[in-house]
């Protein structure tokens, strides 16, 4: 059974940092492209960052220079390092794995507030 489990969310002040993790099981993790999305109530899910099997990365303009996506294939884990957080980064963050199939995690809440 395939599972993606996100963790690392929480409450942080503006300007602070968080690192999200997404642990995958049941898939050949190293073959999958991993992506992070986020969603706020009443809005569509928004793509944030992606990393492919070759470790090439790309980012939404809204997070470029502040967020870093990475992966550790030995741990079947993708990460999203989030620095210089802003209130508008508040959202539920989801990881997505795609290759021959697409899988989503259950999400982790990030709140940026003073």
């Amino acid at each position: 059974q395939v599972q993606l489990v996100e963790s690392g969310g929480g409450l942080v002040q503006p300007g602070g940092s968080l690192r999200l993790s997404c642990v995958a099981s049941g898939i050949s993790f190293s073959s999958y492209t991993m992506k992070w999305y986020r969603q706020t109530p009443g809005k569509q899910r928004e793509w944030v960052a992606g990393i492919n099997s070759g470790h090439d990365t790309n980012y939404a303009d809204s997070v470029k220079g502040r967020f870093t996506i990475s992966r550790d294939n030995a741990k079947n884990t993708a990460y999203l390092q989030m620095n210089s957080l802003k209130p508008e980064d508040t959202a539920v963050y989801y990881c997505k794995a795609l290759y021959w199939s697409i899988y989503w995690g259950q999400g982790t809440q990030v709140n940026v507030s003073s």
Side-chain angles (χ1 to χ4, degrees):
Q1 185 176 352
V2 177
Q3 273 194 315
L4 299 179
V5 180
E6 300 100 331
S7 63
L11 174 64
V12 63
Q13 291 187 338
S17 298
L18 284 175
R19 188 176 81 155
L20 306 183
S21 299
C22 172
V23 180
S25 58
I27 61 173
S28 180
F29 180 78
S30 61
S31 298
Y32 278 72
T33 290
M34 299 300 296
K35 297 188 176 186
W36 286 96
Y37 287 74
R38 64 188 181 187
Q39 189 170 24
T40 54
K43 291 190 175 181
Q44 284 193 328
R45 199 166 290 189
E46 171 192 26
W47 170 74
V48 173
I51 183 167
N52 65 15
S53 58
H55 292 244
D56 298 315
T57 60
N58 53 0
Y59 300 90
D61 287 344
S62 59
V63 306
K64 202 172 292 184
R66 300 188 298 122
F67 291 10
T68 303
I69 189 171
S70 61
R71 66 191 299 159
D72 184 339
N73 290 339
K75 296 182 178 180
N76 285 0
T77 302
Y79 302 98
L80 186 67
Q81 177 67 44
M82 305 187 296
N83 298 330
S84 302
L85 282 161
K86 304 175 181 180
E88 52 263 43
D89 295 317
T90 294
V92 178
Y93 283 72
Y94 298 89
C95 67
K96 174 182 177 181
L98 62 155
Y99 185 44
W100 295 112
S101 300
I102 295 174
Y103 303 102
W104 289 91
Q106 84 290 346
T108 185
Q109 177 72 50
V110 172
N111 288 305
V112 184
S113 175
S114 54

